[in-house]
């Protein structure tokens, strides 16, 4: 994990630029109330402002705001992009993209963490806080082999495995853009080998690769990217350094 004090070198837009995927996280637990960072809404898109306004809870507003701020900060520090010129639109499936840029991005947030990935090809990222109180009933929509894998574990480990698989599935459908249009039992993950193996109709998928790890004992984190892309180490951004960049 790369600490925020040593950013990746800025990449230019030339044809010789190495195709890379960058991904980072920021812990927002130190923010004490949305009012303390509300001024930062001046630096995000109108769509993001509207989304934030629909949330009732401060923690949801904070995570939503921090998600776009982290994206803008990564585009600035990694690619040298002028944050004021960053504009968004959405495709017919509602997946957002950058206007006037071929760079791709994806964001996710849960609990204390906000996560973002940017790069030259489609990517998906997901972070989920593990609720060990009970196994979510939605796991019944997993593939039979995954349900069997979960049920084979001691009860106190089943929720952990559920969230591990869930983040992998979310990262994959976010990368492909299928989202809610894709049934989660139509593909499965085999976690028994050294490499995470994605299967569709028993056929092994070789086009996608995955990062799947714990951020700490309470969160699972997954990134899905094209297998021939290079991916950098996760960058752990310091919250107030990100905020200071917009002052």
């Amino acid at each position: 994990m790369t600490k925020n004090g040593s950013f990746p070198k800025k990449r230019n837009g030339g044809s010789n630029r190495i195709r890379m995927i960058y991904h980072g996280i920021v812990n927002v637990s130190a923010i004490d109330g949305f009012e303390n960072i509300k001024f930062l809404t001046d630096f995000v898109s109108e769509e993001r402002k509207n989304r934030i306004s629909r949330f009732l809870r401060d923690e949801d507003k904070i995570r939503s705001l921090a998600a776009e701020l982290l994206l803008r900060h990564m585009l600035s520090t990694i690619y040298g992009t002028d944050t004021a010129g960053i504009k968004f639109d959405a495709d017919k499936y509602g997946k957002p993209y950058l206007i006037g840029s071929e760079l791709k991005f994806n964001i996710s947030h849960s609990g204390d963490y906000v996560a973002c990935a940017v790069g030259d090809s489609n990517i998906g990222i997901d972070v989920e806080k593990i609720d060990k109180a009970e196994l979510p009933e939605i796991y019944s929509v997993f593939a039979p082999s995954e349900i069997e894998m979960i049920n084979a574990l001691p009860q106190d480990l089943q929720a952990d495995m559920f969230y591990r698989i869930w983040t992998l599935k979310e990262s994959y459908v976010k990368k492909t853009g299928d989202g809610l249009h894709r049934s989660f039992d139509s593909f499965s993950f085999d976690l028994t080998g050294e490499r995470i193996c994605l299967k569709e109709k028993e056929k092994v998928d070789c086009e996608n690769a995955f990062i799947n790890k714990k951020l700490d004992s309470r969160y699972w984190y997954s990134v899905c990217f094209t297998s021939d892309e290079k991916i950098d180490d996760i960058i752990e951004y310091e919250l107030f350094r990100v905020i200071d960049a917009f002052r």
Side-chain angles (χ1 to χ4, degrees), residues 26-33 59 62-63 66 110-114 218-219 239-240:
V26 63
N27 188 311
V28 299
S29 60
I31 300 175
D32 184 21
E59 50 264 48
I62 290 168
R63 285 190 291 261
S110 177
D112 293 339
Y113 283 101
V114 170
R218 301 175 300 152
Y219 293 85
L239 173 65
F240 293 104

Side-chain angles (χ1 to χ4, degrees), residues 11-12 14-22 79 120 230:
R11 313 293 178 178
N12 61 47
S15 59
N16 294 325
R17 177 168 60 81
I18 298 174
R19 295 175 62 84
M20 289 286 296
I21 299 294
Y22 300 92
Y79 296 99
D120 295 287
K230 295 182 180 296

Side-chain angles (χ1 to χ4, degrees), residues 77-109:
T77 57
I78 296 171
Y79 296 99
T81 306
D82 177 10
T83 57
I86 295 172
K87 306 293 182 185
F88 304 96
D89 203 346
D91 63 20
K92 61 181 181 179
Y93 299 110
K95 185 175 182 179
Y97 63 86
L98 294 165
I99 296 176
S101 173
E102 294 185 359
L103 291 173
K104 313 296 184 182
F105 73 91
N106 200 232
I107 57 179
S108 179
H109 43 79

Side-chain angles (χ1 to χ4, degrees), residues 124-161:
I125 191 168
D126 193 56
V127 58
E128 296 289 344
K129 185 176 181 179
I130 301 164
D131 182 357
K132 293 187 177 180
E134 61 182 32
L135 186 64
E137 291 183 5
I138 197 171
Y139 96 105
S140 62
V141 304
F142 281 6
S145 61
E146 295 167 332
I147 295 174
E148 182 179 346
M149 180 166 49
I150 291 172
N151 289 338
L153 294 171
Q155 190 170 2
D156 62 338
L157 298 178
Q158 290 181 358
D160 185 87
M161 180 58 74

Side-chain angles (χ1 to χ4, degrees), residues 160-210:
D160 185 87
M161 180 58 74
F162 165 83
Y163 284 102
R164 182 183 183 188
I165 297 172
W166 181 267
T167 59
L168 285 166
K169 285 180 173 285
E170 281 284 339
S171 70
Y172 176 58
V173 297
K174 291 173 75 176
K175 188 251 184 186
T176 61
D178 291 337
L180 296 175
H181 307 286
R182 185 69 177 274
S183 173
F184 269 19
D185 64 359
S186 65
F187 61 99
S188 64
F189 286 94
D190 182 348
L191 306 178
T192 58
E194 293 184 3
R195 180 180 179 273
I196 295 170
C197 182
L198 169 64
K199 295 181 178 179
E200 297 200 53
K201 297 179 180 179
E202 297 305 315
K203 182 179 179 181
V204 175
D205 177 289
C206 298
E207 295 181 4
N208 295 284
F210 297 87

Side-chain angles (χ1 to χ4, degrees), residues 226-238:
T226 305
S227 58
D228 61 357
E229 293 280 307
K230 295 182 180 296
I231 189 163
D232 205 16
D233 291 335
I234 185 173
I235 309 167
E236 186 178 6
Y237 288 91
E238 296 173 6

